[in-house]
Amino acid sequence: MSGIIEIEELSKTFHVKNSREVEALKEIDLSIKEHEFVCILGASGSGKSTLLRLMEGLIKPTRGSIKVFGEELTEPISKTGMVFQQYTLLPWRNIIDNVTFGLEIRGVSKKERYKIANDILLKFGLKGFNDSYPHELSGGMQQRVAIARTIATSPKIIYMDEPFGALDAITRKEMQKELMDFWLQDKRTIVFVTHSVEEAVLLGNRVIVMSSRPGRVIGDIDINLPYPRDKWNEKFGSYVKKLINIMNDDDINDKIIENVS
Ligand code: ADP
Ligand code: MG
């Protein structure tokens, strides 16, 4: 069965100053099925954000193709939505009007958009904050609102770029649990970028490992552990080790190449 996301030989090179080129991604092949929770794991600079931005249609590939629901992607589509690491709320809008923003653009009536937003705000523990403004909320709460805003437009695929990277450990743990509860009930397709091996094993039913630049896929591991997961479990530990080994092997390859050149 083919995936709802089909990526073939995808490469991205950025042209920077003085006609210098940065090869961010090289020949990525990836197929993602409906209802998967795929974690994309890689060190900083391995092209994870670039890959998500390509998948969301925000930037264009240099080579290769991305098909979403069988159609070649040429621009952002309403079937996908993105959550960024930085809280990207609109500071002049209150919380409910931030959550309804995408619906408003799509022309949904005020009554309907408030109903949808109120249901989601309730689900994400944000009841009672409708009239607050982003700066009045903690980082964790702001990120909850950003997730709620993305979910409000009912995308079939949700891309998340290190969404919990800026949060303290306790808030991060809470939000991982909330996201997991949401996905287990809802079974949307989630593609989640992280540089934390533990976070990848905690959340993903599958983990894709990226090499250092240029980013290539160097690992694709199914995580066969029931949810909710326990990081003290022995099997959890062996998945963590396996992924760390894949990442370390990549470092060794880099060193060999450096020595030869
Ligand atoms: P990651 O998210 O894994 O940290 P990125 O996708 O942000 O990696 O970046 C991959 C590489 O591409 C880096 O070397 C980065 O500097 C480069 N890069 C990303 N975006 C641009 C851009 N708009 N222009 C030039 N280089 C970029
Ligand atoms: Mg990034």
Side-chain angles (χ1 to χ4, degrees):
M1 200 185 81
S2 67
I4 56 168
I5 306 171
E6 287 288 349
I7 297 179
E8 278 176 21
E9 294 189 27
L10 181 70
S11 299
K12 179 70 184 175
T13 299
F14 291 105
H15 298 275
V16 285
K17 269 187 233 152
N18 305 327
S19 64
R20 217 166 56 80
E21 293 189 339
V22 177
E23 194 178 20
L25 293 174
K26 190 170 179 175
E27 291 165 8
I28 306 278
D29 286 309
L30 194 57
S31 170
I32 294 175
K33 291 196 278 296
E34 199 155 19
H35 309 316
E36 281 203 284
F37 194 128
V38 177
C39 286
I40 304 207
L41 174 69
S44 171
S46 58
K48 304 180 300 296
S49 295
T50 303
L51 180 58
L52 273 203
R53 285 163 65 212
L54 285 161
M55 289 164 88
E56 174 70 352
L58 297 173
I59 53 173
K60 300 233 176 322
T62 308
R63 279 184 302 279
S65 88
I66 305 174
K67 288 200 177 96
V68 182
F69 293 100
E71 293 203 17
E72 192 72 37
L73 193 68
T74 53
E75 58 183 357
I77 55 173
S78 61
K79 284 176 184 153
T80 71
M82 180 113 155
V83 179
F84 299 89
Q85 178 173 348
Q86 283 81 18
Y87 326 119
T88 46
L89 302 179
L90 303 170
W92 61 89
R93 284 186 160 227
N94 65 17
I95 296 312
I96 186 117
D97 287 337
N98 262 283
V99 175
T100 58
F101 183 67
L103 297 168
E104 201 176 313
I105 290 173
R106 285 171 172 76
V108 177
S109 73
K110 187 165 183 176
K111 193 171 164 214
E112 182 63 17
R113 17 181 231 267
Y114 273 52
K115 188 190 169 307
I116 294 170
N118 276 318
D119 285 351
I120 294 172
L121 287 167
L122 184 65
K123 208 185 272 183
F124 280 85
L126 290 157
K127 193 171 181 274
F129 290 93
N130 285 12
D131 300 328
S132 303
Y133 282 83
H135 74 271
E136 297 173 299
L137 267 55
S138 67
M141 297 289 256
Q142 288 188 43
Q143 196 60 324
R144 281 192 179 92
V145 177
I147 294 170
R149 181 183 56 187
T150 299
I151 289 170
T153 58
S154 303
K156 296 238 187 298
I157 303 168
I158 303 172
Y159 300 123
M160 306 183 94
D161 192 357
E162 309 210 32
F164 308 146
L167 305 177
D168 64 84
I170 293 171
T171 308
R172 184 175 190 152
K173 212 170 147 192
E174 279 171 17
M175 297 207 33
Q176 287 166 336
K177 186 181 175 307
E178 284 171 22
L179 179 64
M180 190 38 64
D181 290 346
F182 165 76
W183 177 71
L184 287 171
Q185 282 174 21
D186 196 273
K187 286 281 178 187
R188 256 177 257 203
T189 308
I190 298 183
V191 182
F192 185 104
V193 159
T194 181
H195 64 257
S196 158
V197 179
E198 238 177 43
E199 186 168 60
V201 178
L202 190 72
L203 300 176
N205 71 282
R206 181 176 165 204
V207 179
I208 306 290
V209 189
M210 303 284 291
S211 70
S212 53
R213 208 177 75 205
R216 288 158 292 125
V217 174
I218 52 168
D220 186 347
I221 308 281
D222 287 332
I223 311 290
N224 294 311
L225 290 174
Y227 294 101
R229 291 175 178 166
D230 167 16
K231 71 173 181 177
W232 304 111
N233 172 294
E234 200 180 312
K235 274 184 142 179
F236 191 103
S238 57
Y239 277 117
V240 168
K241 274 194 203 134
K242 195 169 174 175
L243 290 166
I244 289 175
N245 282 338
I246 294 173
M247 295 173 90
N248 285 343
D249 281 351
D250 178 47
D251 286 349
I252 291 162
N253 287 336
D254 278 353
K255 287 192 189 89
I256 292 167
I257 291 163
E258 272 167 28
N259 287 339
V260 168
S261 56

